[in-house]
Amino acid sequence: MQKILVTGAAGGIGTYLRKLLKGVYPHIRWSDIRPLPDLAADESFMGADISKMADVERIVAGVDGIVHLGGHSIEGPWDTILNANIVGCYNIFEAAYRAKVERVVFASSNHAVGFYPRAQKIGVDVTVRPDSRYGISKAFGEAVGAFYADKHGLRVTCLRIGNLGDAPVDKRRLAIWLKPEDLVQLIRIGLEHPDIHFEIFYGASDNADSWWDNSKARRLGYKPQGRGADYREQAMAAQAKLALDPIGDRYQGGPFCSDEYDRPD
Ligand code: 15L
């Protein structure tokens, strides 16, 4: 991998990666719909609205691999999700195929499977159970990735990211926390491992409370360094200040599940 494109550079995960991917690949093109006000002299940036194919074709030109973080990163109105995450995601894969890009790492989300109960341990081969329009768009992105891998040979890795940050911030995040350095490991497996065809990994560190089986990532060399349990006391203290959420507390997707929930139980 000589030249990679990272979309969503201005977002929370993009901001971590701008520090952590420095020097890992010789050329990194950062992109976002928003400008990067703190762009360093040694960083290369191209603005793009990924819902416009012409923009996407411009940013993917000449790259070997793509890390697609771009789009809307939480629940939102359908129009927003449709443009940023459905059309935008399709455009990334289609443009990657047309431009003969070798690999795509797609930032999927735990919300593609958010309606699994916390009491159930799941692997990467379960039926999707999205908890939001946002989660639906991530399940869609995984399906688009599988299609381009199976039909056209693009090497695709989907990362069902839990919650990325310096530390887990509540009980749910103790189970799904992802240390930023561990995300870099997963991205590097997706961009570099010789055996990638189409893979789904959970974007989670080594969390004792995890409800995900991430053995496929581990078989391909993933050795997470972060341990959610090291932060148990502070996360549980933060949890104690939160209101009870009978639906959200039952399911893996937490508040994304209880938001707009009106199923007559
Ligand atoms: C996500 O997918 C979101 O992008 C992030 O903002 C968090 O809400 C995270 O999931 C989470 O589940 O904590």
Side-chain angles (χ1 to χ4, degrees):
M1 285 282 130
Q2 286 298 306
K3 187 159 198 162
I4 67 159
L5 163 71
V6 184
T7 67
I13 298 183
T15 303
Y16 275 105
L17 290 183
R18 282 175 61 203
K19 291 194 199 97
L20 295 174
L21 284 181
K22 222 178 236 299
V24 174
Y25 297 104
H27 304 282
I28 304 181
R29 177 182 296 159
W30 300 97
S31 181
D32 204 287
I33 195 168
R34 298 162 286 182
L36 294 183
D38 58 343
L39 190 72
D42 61 350
E43 286 182 311
S44 143
F45 176 79
M46 281 172 81
D49 174 351
I50 57 168
S51 71
K52 299 197 167 73
M53 187 51 126
D55 278 23
V56 179
E57 287 189 316
R58 197 168 40 77
I59 59 172
V60 307
V63 305
D64 309 307
I66 298 174
V67 180
H68 179 44
L69 309 171
H72 192 71
S73 64
I74 51 172
E75 179 62 314
W78 174 240
D79 269 3
T80 305
I81 298 293
L82 176 65
N83 287 311
N85 292 15
I86 302 284
V87 177
C89 179
Y90 175 80
N91 286 347
I92 291 283
F93 279 105
E94 173 62 18
Y97 162 57
R98 290 184 197 166
K100 301 190 168 45
V101 175
E102 287 166 42
R103 297 185 184 231
V104 174
V105 174
F106 168 58
S108 181
S109 168
N110 70 92
H111 298 291
V113 288
F115 260 120
Y116 280 95
R118 296 185 188 189
Q120 186 175 346
K121 187 141 188 162
I122 56 171
V124 294
D125 48 2
V126 294
T127 307
V128 290
R129 299 292 290 273
D131 57 23
S132 47
R133 292 173 289 279
Y134 168 70
I136 295 169
S137 75
K138 293 302 184 180
F140 170 83
E142 293 181 1
V144 176
F147 167 78
Y148 279 95
D150 290 341
K151 184 152 275 194
H152 300 300
L154 197 68
R155 293 170 180 246
V156 176
T157 304
C158 300
L159 304 179
R160 285 184 185 160
I161 297 175
N163 188 259
L164 185 111
D166 293 332
V169 294
D170 56 23
K171 183 166 188 261
R172 177 173 159 268
R173 267 60 166 262
L174 278 173
I176 68 167
W177 178 55
L178 176 59
K179 186 181 165 93
E181 288 80 358
D182 291 341
L183 172 61
V184 171
Q185 276 196 52
L186 290 167
I187 289 173
R188 293 196 65 171
I189 292 170
L191 290 179
E192 299 170 35
H193 198 289
D195 297 339
I196 299 289
H197 166 64
F198 173 77
E199 297 296 342
I200 297 176
F201 303 144
Y202 284 103
S205 290
D206 186 12
N207 302 324
D209 302 1
S210 178
W211 42 67
W212 298 328
D213 174 357
N214 216 9
S215 49
K216 189 67 202 286
R218 286 176 183 265
R219 277 205 293 283
L220 296 185
Y222 181 46
K223 290 193 185 67
Q225 302 302 304
R227 288 155 34 110
D230 292 346
Y231 303 88
R232 188 179 302 282
E233 215 172 298
Q234 68 190 64
M236 292 311 284
Q239 179 70 35
K241 296 190 186 126
L242 299 177
L244 285 179
D245 177 356
I247 299 302
D249 292 345
R250 187 190 317 160
Y251 294 108
Q252 298 186 4
F256 284 63
C257 296
S258 45
D259 180 37
E260 300 179 32
Y261 185 96
D262 61 0
R263 172 173 138 193
D265 278 330

